[in-house]
Amino acid sequence: MRSIWNGAISFGLVSIPIKLVNATESHSISFRQIHVSDGGRVRYRKVCELDGEEVPAAEIGKGYEEADGSIVPITDEDLARLPIPTAKTIEIVSFVPAEEIDPLQMDAAYYLAANGATAAKPYTLLREALKRSRKVAIAKYALRGRERLGMLRVVDDVIAMHGLLWPDEIRQPEGVAPEASVTVREAELDLADALMATLGEVEIASLHDDYREAVEAMLAAKTGEGFEPAEAVVEPTGGQVIDLMAALESSVRAAKASRAGGSGESAESAESAAEAEVTPIRGRRTPAASAPAPKAVGGKKSTASTGTAKKTAAAKKTAAGGKKSTATAKGAAGTKSGAGARAGARSTKSAAGAKSAGTGRASAGGATAGAGTAKKAAPRKRSSA
């Protein structure tokens, strides 16, 4: 691997010559800008603002722009004369436990390689000291024109250095946390713990970049023939309300089924997940069993026949008895057809209150035995007075 920086590690009075090597590499696919109409490459050209001429890289230097817009030229010699002890040295300043380093400070990673045979002994000494102490070394170094903070730790048999952001470069998370007051129940925490335990650990080496693989497959297909991009399937979310407890329980069951590889349990968990979605049901019909009974025709006639005597209190009782006779007549009809014995019992009790209406409705219910009987049984007008 090619080194990007040469220097030494300052470990007290011990100096360890090292080479800095990039420990990471990017596999992301980069694209070029093109002219859409003809496919020509679009390039950036560095042009001087004063003469409008393109400037080659060899003639480009550094400069600091002041508030009034004027430029102060800065040369490499000016930077080299700065009194920075870390210009070519990784200076270790302390050793701390690794858990004291906030992962937010982590930046680029490098491998430190021993530079030459004389560096092997002090390099191994520092590596073994870091292993035995179970600590990491905090160091300062200069790279690419600025002083930086670093953390040295052991990876296998190599000393690795992670660039760290300075503490004042970490922003405070103000206004990021939810402002609403939320209470989490112990049962929800228990289910979350169960889900975490079920998911378990994962081999980091088994994870891969699905997007990059899809882009590579698309590029391979476009260089061939007949590429047709597939449309992404977006499932509608709607306004469904998810029960947190039910969702956690379904997640635990699904995770267990995934670990066990059982298809039956997976189907059950999927069904439970669907039940966890609370969606209002529109247009729900009332079951036929709970529907109110229709008013009987005979009952209406009985009520109408007693309408002539509404002025007296007895007439009101007769009208109420006519309403009861509706259910009485219907119960009698159910008794004839063998469908409702209890309705027939109620009709017997209410027959005394509305004899004329009950007779007419019972005659209609007896149509099963003979239709002629229903025609003869007409409601008889009685005077309530």
Side-chain angles (χ1 to χ4, degrees):
M1 290 185 285
R2 187 175 62 89
S3 63
I4 62 172
W5 185 86
N6 292 336
I9 299 175
S10 176
F11 179 32
L13 297 178
V14 178
S15 180
I16 310 170
I18 56 98
K19 296 185 294 183
L20 198 66
V21 179
N22 279 322
T24 62
E25 58 185 1
S26 175
H27 289 167
S28 61
I29 299 174
S30 60
F31 299 100
R32 302 294 186 186
Q33 291 185 334
I34 62 171
H35 191 192
V36 177
S37 61
D38 56 14
R41 172 82 180 276
V42 177
R43 297 178 181 272
Y44 290 103
R45 300 180 184 274
K46 297 182 178 181
V47 179
C48 178
E49 292 183 352
L50 297 180
D51 56 16
E53 298 291 332
E54 185 176 354
V55 181
E59 298 181 9
I60 297 177
K62 299 181 181 69
Y64 175 77
E65 184 177 3
E66 294 186 322
D68 58 357
S70 60
I71 303 296
V72 179
I74 303 296
T75 64
D76 293 337
E77 290 75 13
D78 295 334
L79 297 175
R81 285 195 295 266
L82 292 176
I84 301 178
T86 58
K88 282 291 183 181
T89 304
I90 299 175
E91 182 181 357
I92 296 177
V93 296
S94 66
F95 293 88
V96 299
E99 56 268 17
E100 290 188 8
I101 304 300
D102 192 340
L104 283 174
Q105 290 185 259
M106 295 289 187
D107 203 357
Y110 307 94
Y111 289 137
L112 304 182
N115 192 4
T118 57
K121 181 65 178 289
Y123 184 95
T124 305
L125 173 65
L126 177 60
R127 183 191 67 195
E128 296 303 317
L130 288 172
K131 280 185 179 180
R132 190 168 70 172
S133 66
R134 296 182 180 178
K135 293 183 178 181
V136 296
I138 303 300
K140 295 170 65 177
Y141 65 102
L143 180 65
R144 298 188 179 98
R146 55 170 295 206
E147 190 174 47
R148 303 169 187 264
L149 194 63
M151 178 190 74
L152 277 64
R153 69 185 184 97
V154 178
V155 178
D156 295 334
D157 289 333
V158 177
I159 299 176
M161 182 175 69
H162 295 269
L164 299 178
L165 299 176
W166 295 99
D168 59 355
E169 292 179 322
I170 304 297
R171 301 175 62 183
Q172 295 297 322
E174 297 177 357
V176 179
E179 297 180 358
S181 178
V182 179
T183 302
V184 179
R185 295 178 295 172
E186 290 294 329
E188 294 170 340
L189 286 174
D190 292 341
L191 282 173
D193 292 340
L195 178 58
M196 293 168 61
T198 305
L199 291 176
E201 299 179 356
V202 65
E203 291 290 338
I204 300 298
S206 66
L207 303 179
H208 57 278
D209 188 350
D210 293 328
Y211 178 77
R212 178 171 59 88
E213 292 181 357
V215 172
E216 290 175 348
M218 180 264 292
L219 293 175
K222 286 184 75 72
T223 54
E225 297 180 356
F227 172 72
E228 295 182 0
E231 295 183 359
V233 179
V234 180
E235 297 182 357
T237 56
Q240 296 174 344
V241 180
I242 303 300
D243 184 359
L244 182 58
M245 288 291 292
L248 285 171
E249 291 173 353
S250 301
S251 300
V252 172
R253 286 194 295 269
K256 288 181 178 178
S258 177
R259 290 286 182 180
S263 58
E265 195 171 351
S266 300
E268 181 183 353
S269 62
E271 183 180 353
S272 301
E275 292 177 357
E277 300 177 356
V278 181
T279 307
I281 302 175
R282 298 179 180 178
R284 185 171 181 177
R285 302 179 63 182
T286 306
S290 60
K295 293 182 178 180
V297 179
K300 290 183 179 179
K301 289 183 178 180
S302 174
T303 308
S305 64
T306 57
T308 56
K310 287 182 179 179
K311 296 181 181 180
T312 62
K316 293 180 180 180
K317 291 182 179 181
T318 306
K323 292 181 180 179
K324 291 181 180 180
S325 67
T326 303
T328 305
K330 189 173 182 180
T335 306
K336 291 287 184 178
S337 59
R342 283 188 292 178
R346 286 200 302 267
S347 67
T348 305
K349 292 181 181 181
S350 59
K355 186 180 291 183
S356 60
T359 305
R361 190 65 181 133
S363 301
T368 308
T373 308
K375 293 181 179 180
K376 293 178 181 181
R380 186 173 53 186
K381 296 183 180 178
R382 297 183 60 183
S383 176
S384 301

